[in-house]
Amino acid sequence: MTKEHANWSPYDNNGGTCVAIAGADYCVIAADTRMSTGYSILTRDYSKICKLADKSYMASSGFQADVKALQKVLSSRHLIYQHQHNKQMSCPAMAQLLSNTLYYKRFFPYYAFNVLGGLDSEGKGCVFTYDAVGSYERVGYSAQGSGATLITPFLDNQLKSPSPLLLPAKDAVTPLSEAEAVDLVKTCFASATERDIYTGDSVEIIILNAKGVRSETEQLRKD
């Protein structure tokens, strides 16, 4: 085996950061639009957010080729579900499907780190956070990707939800209003961009609530 073959990997990490925040009646999902490999920027305008259903959006960082493959599998599985049940999947059902899909490939995983955000059947915001092999948890907020180590402690400080071990169990939704949550997300990305070379260019923000879905874009620094 030649030396270059010995170092070859089927994976790459294209960087980028994803954040989601669940509120009492809304959900905010955001990701930056920079896609990199090593010290090169491949594009400054790549959306890392995918619509899986009317009330489920997935933001993914990691290896974007694996992310695309994962999105295709979820899309086709959701189509089959719609034909069989005459309705779209709820966000918690989509969360379980994503977990199963990742776990099924655990011996040659999708190198994708996902945050799933949306509204549950009661109209409450829900955020699910994942590792690469399908372990997941419903949380009030989450960050994934290259800027997650910078953003998570900041979100912990601002939004720390009560321990899931406390009884009676408290809701894992943030006390912020929708506008405050959107501003907080913008602040997160502005801060992460200062320190993480793989986060930048712009941040795409999807806001879900009872009225529907809207999106915003905020420019970040380009260096």
Side-chain angles (χ1 to χ4, degrees):
M1 188 182 281
T2 61
K3 192 178 176 189
E4 53 270 23
H5 282 127
N7 294 328
W8 184 84
S9 166
Y11 297 118
D12 187 13
N13 189 351
N14 300 122
T17 305
C18 307
V19 170
I21 298 177
D25 59 352
Y26 68 86
C27 185
V28 179
I29 304 108
D32 73 312
T33 61
R34 178 175 294 184
M35 183 162 75
S36 320
T37 181
Y39 289 119
S40 304
I41 292 174
L42 299 172
T43 171
R44 298 181 186 275
D45 190 28
Y46 185 84
S47 175
K48 297 183 183 76
I49 303 175
C50 171
K51 179 182 177 178
L52 299 177
D54 286 347
K55 293 183 178 178
S56 304
Y57 282 74
M58 178 173 74
S60 314
S61 64
F63 183 31
Q64 290 302 328
D66 274 6
V67 169
K68 268 282 176 278
L70 177 60
Q71 288 170 358
K72 282 182 180 176
V73 170
L74 293 171
S75 175
S76 57
R77 289 291 299 272
H78 187 228
L79 189 64
I80 293 164
Y81 180 95
Q82 286 176 92
H83 286 309
Q84 289 175 343
H85 299 275
N86 288 313
K87 65 173 186 179
Q88 293 210 353
M89 259 188 211
S90 66
C91 195
M94 188 66 79
Q96 183 67 60
L97 174 64
L98 176 53
S99 173
N100 294 349
T101 307
L102 292 168
Y103 189 73
Y104 184 73
K105 285 262 293 167
R106 67 192 177 280
F107 299 120
F108 184 17
Y110 293 109
Y111 191 52
F113 300 93
N114 308 290
V115 179
L116 184 70
L119 300 174
D120 64 15
S121 51
E122 297 169 19
K124 283 184 186 167
C126 52
V127 168
F128 298 88
T129 187
Y130 293 79
D131 71 358
V133 289
S135 173
Y136 79 115
E137 182 184 7
R138 184 170 177 171
V139 291
Y141 58 89
S142 178
Q144 289 278 20
S146 56
T149 47
L150 301 170
I151 290 175
T152 303
F154 174 62
L155 289 176
D156 284 338
N157 176 259
Q158 297 294 308
L159 305 173
K160 190 66 183 144
S161 37
S163 165
L165 304 174
L166 289 176
L167 291 173
K170 299 277 195 299
D171 253 354
V173 295
T174 67
L176 296 185
S177 73
E178 186 186 297
E180 287 170 330
V182 172
D183 281 346
L184 186 69
V185 163
K186 289 175 181 175
T187 305
C188 284
F189 278 91
S191 309
T193 303
E194 292 290 328
R195 292 284 179 182
D196 176 26
I197 62 167
Y198 299 113
T199 303
D201 297 313
S202 64
V203 57
E204 180 187 13
I205 306 169
I206 304 286
I207 303 112
L208 289 96
N209 55 32
K211 293 177 192 165
V213 186
R214 71 177 206 275
S215 67
E216 288 184 23
T217 307
E218 182 89 352
Q219 294 304 307
L220 299 170
R221 54 188 291 174
K222 314 257 183 276
D223 58 355

